[in-house]
């Protein structure tokens, strides 16, 4: 039989994980195959773009469940059920799908970022008749990027503060700052004076960019006092420019303060940090590329 659409896998996946054991997502193949009586031949079906159709749909089912916080990823390649996931199962639903997941604010926010006003339309596995193939591909890429960004930010937040400090320096180097080996130096320590790192833009170190990194809760705002402390730290080393990155957000007061002072401070919050990591392949990597072709009108002239 054909491999079911990805939403059909959500309930079997939750039931498989109900006992609380963390499993690799590949270990979900067997239970899903048994649930839908799929043969090895069925499971071997490939997407036109390459890769297993079954694995692709299990992957997206787990991704959506994680966005709704019914699942979480405790370590690389593993998933396990959350308390929210158990609460959903306790109600013994006949089906778990995007409509059910939309009850949760985290999933609503995720779908709102990827589809805007269209997020509220009824979800199906078929193509939207109002969407062109090019638009469908663009939408799929955007949705994948948003899911990846959310997961990246959660992974970074789970690490020790020093991980974020070093990550920021690596990201800025990947973006072209410094441009030389050993141009970035990690300074973070117990009494670092509010400076976590520095990037030397030139060989003599005449052009310096100082960095502060704060691992905050994803919904916590960095306020004006933190900005004032960073500016004070910059003045302490005779600098007037810096980059402040956080896994959280910046309050309106913090942004207003930075906009009014002569020092040049760049603020990068959690969502922007995750997008930059994806853009510059820091903590993310390219999986596959798609080529969309059109008629060469010149050929027929």
């Amino acid at each position: 039989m054909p491999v079911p659409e990805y939403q059909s896998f959500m309930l079997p996946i939750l039931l498989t994980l109900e006992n609380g054991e963390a499993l690799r997502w590949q270990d979900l193949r067997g239970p899903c195959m048994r649930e839908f009586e799929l043969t090895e031949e069925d499971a071997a079906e490939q997407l036109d773009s390459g890769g297993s159709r079954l694995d692709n749909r299990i992957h997206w089912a787990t991704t959506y469940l994680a966005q709704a916080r019914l699942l979480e990823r405790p370590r690389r390649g593993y998933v396990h059920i959350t308390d929210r996931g158990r609460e959903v199962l306790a109600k013994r639903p006949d089906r778990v799908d995007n409509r059910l997941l939309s009850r949760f604010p985290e999933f609503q926010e995720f779908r709102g970022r990827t589809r805007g006003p269209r997020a509220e339309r009824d979800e199906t596995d078929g193509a939207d008749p109002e969407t062109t193939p090019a638009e469908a591909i663009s939408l799929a890429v955007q949705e994948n990027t948003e899911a990846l960004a959310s997961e990246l930010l959660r992974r970074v937040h789970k690490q020790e503060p020093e991980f974020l400090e070093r990550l920021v320096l690596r990201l800025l180097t990947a973006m072209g700052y410094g441009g030389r080996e050993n141009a970035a130096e990690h300074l973070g320590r117990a009494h670092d004076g509010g400076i976590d790192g520095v990037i030397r833009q030139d060989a003599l170190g005449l052009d310096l960019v100082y960095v502060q990194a704060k691992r905050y809760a994803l919904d916590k705002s960095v306020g004006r006092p933190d900005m004032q402390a960073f500016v004070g730290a910059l003045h302490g080393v005779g600098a007037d420019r810096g980059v402040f990155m956080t896994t959280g957000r910046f309050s309106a007061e913090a942004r207003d303060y930075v906009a009014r002072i002569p020092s040049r401070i760049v603020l990068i919050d959690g969502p922007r940090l995750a997008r930059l990591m994806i853009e510059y392949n820091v903590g993310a990597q390219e999986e596959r590329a798609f080529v969309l072709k059109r008629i060469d009108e010149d050929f027929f002239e």
Side-chain angles (χ1 to χ4, degrees), residues 132-138 289-294:
T132 68
E135 291 170 337
I137 292 174
S138 177
F290 298 90
V291 177
L292 188 66
K293 297 191 176 183
R294 60 176 176 81

Side-chain angles (χ1 to χ4, degrees), residues 225-245:
D226 293 291
M227 295 297 101
Q228 292 173 317
F230 183 46
V231 171
L234 292 178
H235 290 169
V237 294
D240 64 351
R241 68 177 67 179
V243 177
F244 196 118
M245 287 197 187

Side-chain angles (χ1 to χ4, degrees), residues 47 77 82 95 124 164 232 251 256:
L47 295 167
T82 63
R95 176 177 168 85
T124 67
L164 177 61
S251 69
D256 181 67

Side-chain angles (χ1 to χ4, degrees), residues 1 3 29 33 38-46 51-55:
M1 66 173 292
V3 176
R29 294 177 98 251
M33 289 178 63
L38 299 176
T39 66
E40 290 296 335
E41 183 179 358
D42 296 329
E45 182 183 357
Q46 298 288 295
S52 163
R53 186 180 300 277
L54 174 62
D55 289 349

Side-chain angles (χ1 to χ4, degrees), residues 25-34 40 43 52 54-55 58:
W25 72 264
Q26 294 94 330
D27 295 332
L28 301 172
R29 294 177 98 251
C32 288
M33 289 178 63
R34 289 191 291 273
E40 290 296 335
S52 163
L54 174 62
D55 289 349
I58 292 175

Side-chain angles (χ1 to χ4, degrees), residues 84-103:
R84 179 181 287 180
R86 292 190 181 91
E87 290 172 3
V88 168
L89 287 182
K91 298 176 181 178
R92 297 301 168 191
D94 294 329
R95 176 177 168 85
V96 175
D97 54 20
N98 290 344
R99 187 183 295 276
L100 186 150
L101 300 186
S102 294
R103 300 174 186 173

Side-chain angles (χ1 to χ4, degrees), residues 46-291:
Q46 298 288 295
L47 295 167
D48 292 340
S49 56
S52 163
R53 186 180 300 277
L54 174 62
D55 289 349
N56 179 268
R57 293 188 171 179
I58 292 175
H59 165 76
W60 276 106
T62 57
T63 294
Y64 276 40
L65 289 168
Q67 291 297 325
R69 306 296 193 266
L70 272 64
L71 297 183
E72 63 180 5
R73 297 179 171 91
R75 58 188 185 275
R76 181 178 180 178
Y78 283 77
V79 293
H80 75 75
I81 196 168
T82 63
D83 290 340
R84 179 181 287 180
R86 292 190 181 91
E87 290 172 3
V88 168
L89 287 182
K91 298 176 181 178
R92 297 301 168 191
D94 294 329
R95 176 177 168 85
V96 175
D97 54 20
N98 290 344
R99 187 183 295 276
L100 186 150
L101 300 186
S102 294
R103 300 174 186 173
F104 304 107
E106 297 89 348
F107 191 77
Q108 292 173 15
E109 181 183 1
F110 164 64
R111 295 299 274 171
R113 292 197 306 269
T114 57
R115 297 203 173 190
R118 302 173 65 83
E120 297 181 0
R121 71 177 176 83
D122 189 21
E123 297 293 340
T124 67
D125 191 51
D128 184 341
E130 299 180 4
T131 301
T132 68
E135 291 170 337
I137 292 174
S138 177
L139 188 62
V141 170
Q142 181 185 2
E143 193 158 333
N144 182 77
T145 299
E146 289 294 344
L148 176 58
S150 178
E151 179 63 19
L152 275 173
L153 201 52
R154 286 205 299 270
R155 293 285 188 95
V156 171
H157 183 257
K158 287 181 179 179
Q159 303 296 322
E160 295 299 320
E162 184 176 329
F163 180 91
L164 177 61
E165 296 168 4
R166 295 186 180 277
L167 164 64
V168 168
L169 292 173
R170 182 171 177 178
L171 175 58
L172 291 173
T173 300
M175 293 171 66
Y177 292 92
R180 299 176 295 105
E181 187 176 357
N182 300 321
E185 180 182 359
H186 178 242
L187 303 175
R189 50 188 179 274
H191 304 288
D192 58 19
I195 302 293
D196 293 322
V198 60
I199 295 180
R200 296 173 176 82
Q201 293 282 74
D202 61 280
L204 297 178
L206 298 175
D207 191 8
L208 305 176
V209 177
Y210 289 90
V211 176
Q212 174 71 286
K214 287 285 188 183
R215 190 195 63 169
Y216 277 17
L218 305 187
D219 58 350
K220 181 178 179 180
S221 292
V222 177
R224 176 170 174 160
D226 293 291
M227 295 297 101
Q228 292 173 317
F230 183 46
V231 171
L234 292 178
H235 290 169
V237 294
D240 64 351
R241 68 177 67 179
V243 177
F244 196 118
M245 287 197 187
T246 179
T247 51
R249 310 274 179 154
F250 292 101
S251 69
E253 292 79 8
R255 291 187 180 277
D256 181 67
Y257 172 74
V258 168
R260 292 173 180 271
I261 61 176
S263 299
R264 295 168 58 191
I265 310 296
V266 175
L267 303 182
I268 299 179
D269 62 11
R272 187 179 179 193
L273 169 61
R275 291 195 299 271
L276 288 172
M277 290 176 66
I278 294 171
E279 182 177 353
Y280 291 94
N281 291 325
V282 176
Q285 60 185 351
E286 295 180 3
E287 183 177 15
R288 63 172 65 111
F290 298 90
V291 177

